Amino acid sequence: MLPDQVEKIAILGAGVMGHGIAQIASAAGYRIAVRDIKQEFLDNGLKGITKSLDYLVKRERITPEVKGEILGRIKFTLDLKEAVGDAQLVIEAIPEKMEIKHLVWKEAAELAPDDAILASNTSSLSITEIATVVPNPERFVGMHFFNPPAIMKLVEVNQGDKTSKETVDTVMALARKMSKTPVWVKKDAPGFIVNRILVTYLNEAAKLLDKFDIEQIDAAMQHKAGMPMGPFMLSDLIGLDIVHNILKTFEEHIGPEYAPHEKIIELFDSRKLGRKTGEGFYSYTERPAVTEEQAKGFDVKLLLEPFVKEAERLYTEAVATVEDIDTAMKLGANIPKGPFEMKKAGLGEEKPVLTEKENGVYKITLNRPSKLNSMTLEMLGLISEAVDEASADPEIKAILVTGAGDRAFCAGADVSQFPGLSVEEARNVSKAGHNTFKKFMETPKPVVAAVNGYALGGGNELILFCDLRIASEKARFSQPEVSLGLMTGWGGTCLLKKVVGQTVANELLLTGRRINADEAKSIGLVSHVYPAAEFEAKMNEYLQALVNGPPKAISAMKKLAASDNNLDAALDAEADAFADLWNYGELKEGIDAFNNRRKPVF
Ligand code: COA
């Protein structure tokens, strides 16, 4: 079967994975049949897809028309023959029990066309073993999507002992058509790539609990190693039953060193399974959070070393290439660097601001992608140092500021610590932003903000201090402080009106309305909008004019254009007004609402 011959896809199972896969496969233009064994399961599947599409419409990622088209291509049925009889690809996403998989596949393989590709979304069972009940197991393959499929970019394409390379290639191509990034898992290894490395790392973390606290390890891995959350919060999120069972499988199939640690067994035995039961490593009466302060005294190498070792073991066992392992871990575990990239860069703390000098350009990358590059005080300090370094370097002709990852430039100040600040500390936060961002105006080198995703709150204020602003079509801009019970504190009140005019500035500040890249261009917030796929190339092209230009003339013009005798007083007044808000309760309500994903009531 070649990728272009696929028109209809049958999905077996309408649960979280099944309906998620149906949604993205339909979005790619395929006709879809979703089959389950009870009408109630199908109804829930439809509800799930509708909810997810509504969310995308609300976040302006798709239009209401596209939502209608996606739903229109999906049929729900209880009849297996109707679903698979004319499908070129069957994807199964039913419970992870070998007996159930065998029952369903026996029947489905019989009813599906002889040349249809048969794929299992299993994350833990052997592809080779599932395939024993189908005729022609060379067309049977693993197609492992990650939860939630609509958001997670990764698909592990898992080759069983008998799967043909042609089947693997076709499924890789189909995953790409669904806008996913496939990796080729060349061997039927337990846990494939992501679960093998990640769950082993969760077990390694548990082994350190006799010397360190849960919160300390989590804080260090989140704040210093760049992980989206620490290993214990992640175990609670995945579920201790799942973590436990995967480790048992590893123990059985790979070796005794993978046996679940006694703390994991204890939680599993006492049914403290994490978020879903309200208690695991943490108790879930409220959302747990760990601070940078708590990270002290834990060296992240203690966990990064076994993490990398497991990746190396997978590579040595010829399960996947170095590139595929790195890609899988970045996309499947949402971490900034893959294990081999981490090793190359030197194991240790992940820096939240990266700098790089190339061809006369000093590039500053905001690097907390798992928190949408939201800005901490530490980052402000690092940006300050970076601008000083760029200013002093005669080789540097231009400075570029951009965001890591594919979602955000910078989603504003990191608000997680805001509620606990005193009035004076709040004023210092405001002043710290002013002092750093003013450096973009004061440096003699031209500064370009390349907005590759969200530029919200402080992220949008940062770009106002830059000399030039360009955007990817994916960029979104807003000053959402009002929705948090706050006001802008990093220059928004003074500079937005200079860039877009008083009327539009007031509207953006007082309503928090989010605008897309085209609107940002139309109001003069950015000067160019480029397609996302070409953004990097266009950005480099754009910088060339500055690199090749006359430094003295450029510097003189930039200085005069930015000069404003009243700016310091206006920024001080903004800091005072910002800090004054800590005398009232609005921001507590606003930030609590954000943390708990609810609408604030002011
Ligand atoms: N401060 C702290 N954390 C932030 C943040 C901020 N300004 N913006 C995003 N994050 C974190 C989220 O808490 C989340 O962390 P988690 O995975 O530990 O829960 C992570 O970044 C991803 O964001 P999430 O909200 O889950 O993504 P989304 O796609 O649902 O929404 C946004 C994206 C940008 C719309 C949403 O994150 C948002 O509104 N952020 C706040 C923007 C803001 O108000 N900035 C001004 C601050 S003054």
Side-chain angles (χ1 to χ4, degrees), residues 282-332:
Y282 292 86
S283 158
Y284 288 84
T285 40
E286 53 187 61
R287 199 175 136 117
V290 284
T291 61
E292 281 180 64
E293 195 58 26
Q294 289 171 302
K296 285 194 180 136
F298 183 80
D299 182 352
V300 295
K301 271 198 204 137
L302 286 174
L303 275 175
L304 292 179
E305 270 162 6
F307 188 80
V308 170
K309 202 170 121 226
E310 199 59 29
E312 289 174 334
R313 189 165 171 180
L314 267 188
Y315 171 71
T316 320
E317 290 169 10
V319 174
T321 62
V322 163
E323 292 73 25
D324 274 354
I325 294 174
D326 273 347
T327 303
M329 293 315 292
K330 280 190 284 188
L331 299 181

Side-chain angles (χ1 to χ4, degrees), residues 55 59 287 370-371 407 411 413-415 456 480 484 597:
Y55 175 83
R59 296 272 158 139
R287 199 175 136 117
S370 65
K371 301 286 174 197
R407 295 201 56 211
D414 180 336
V415 294
L456 311 182
L484 296 170
R597 303 294 188 266

Side-chain angles (χ1 to χ4, degrees), residues 55 59 61 222 228-229 287 368-372 374-375 407 411-416 418 454 456-458 479-481 483-484 486-487 514 594-595 597:
Y55 175 83
R59 296 272 158 139
R61 301 216 194 136
Q222 180 176 320
M229 63 179 80
R287 199 175 136 117
R368 283 178 87 215
S370 65
K371 301 286 174 197
L372 304 180
S374 53
M375 186 76 73
R407 295 201 56 211
D414 180 336
V415 294
S416 59
F418 273 15
Y454 288 119
L456 311 182
Q479 296 294 162
E481 286 82 357
S483 65
L484 296 170
L486 268 172
M487 62 172 278
R514 192 183 303 162
F594 170 66
N595 285 337
R597 303 294 188 266

Side-chain angles (χ1 to χ4, degrees), residues 1-6 9 28 30 89 117 143 155 157 165-184:
M1 177 74 59
L2 295 171
D4 288 347
Q5 293 171 296
V6 176
I9 300 177
Y30 295 106
L89 169 66
I117 291 183
M143 192 174 189
V155 174
V157 178
K165 185 66 181 20
E166 185 196 327
T167 301
V168 167
D169 290 343
T170 298
V171 169
M172 299 275 288
L174 293 171
R176 283 192 197 98
K177 285 199 172 186
M178 295 176 201
S179 306
K180 299 291 163 195
T181 305
V183 291
W184 178 24

Side-chain angles (χ1 to χ4, degrees), residues 370-414:
S370 65
K371 301 286 174 197
L372 304 180
N373 304 325
S374 53
M375 186 76 73
T376 59
L377 289 179
E378 182 193 3
M379 289 165 79
L380 288 174
L382 292 169
I383 295 171
S384 246
E385 284 169 20
V387 181
D388 288 347
E389 188 184 51
S391 304
D393 187 337
E395 303 274 293
I396 295 300
K397 300 287 187 301
I399 299 173
L400 171 74
V401 191
T402 192
D406 64 353
R407 295 201 56 211
F409 172 79
C410 169
D414 180 336

Side-chain angles (χ1 to χ4, degrees), residues 504-561:
V504 177
N506 279 354
E507 194 222 303
L508 295 177
L509 291 173
L510 304 187
T511 68
R513 185 168 74 84
R514 192 183 303 162
I515 59 174
N516 65 23
D518 287 334
E519 186 171 351
K521 182 168 180 233
S522 76
I523 62 172
L525 184 55
V526 298
S527 50
H528 291 280
V529 176
Y530 300 111
E534 294 166 27
F535 190 53
E536 184 126 359
K538 291 288 182 191
M539 180 171 95
N540 291 331
E541 218 173 88
Y542 187 85
L543 284 159
Q544 274 317 298
L546 299 171
V547 170
N548 298 333
K552 288 275 179 243
I554 289 181
S555 167
M557 276 190 288
K558 108 152 231 176
K559 197 172 158 206
L560 291 170

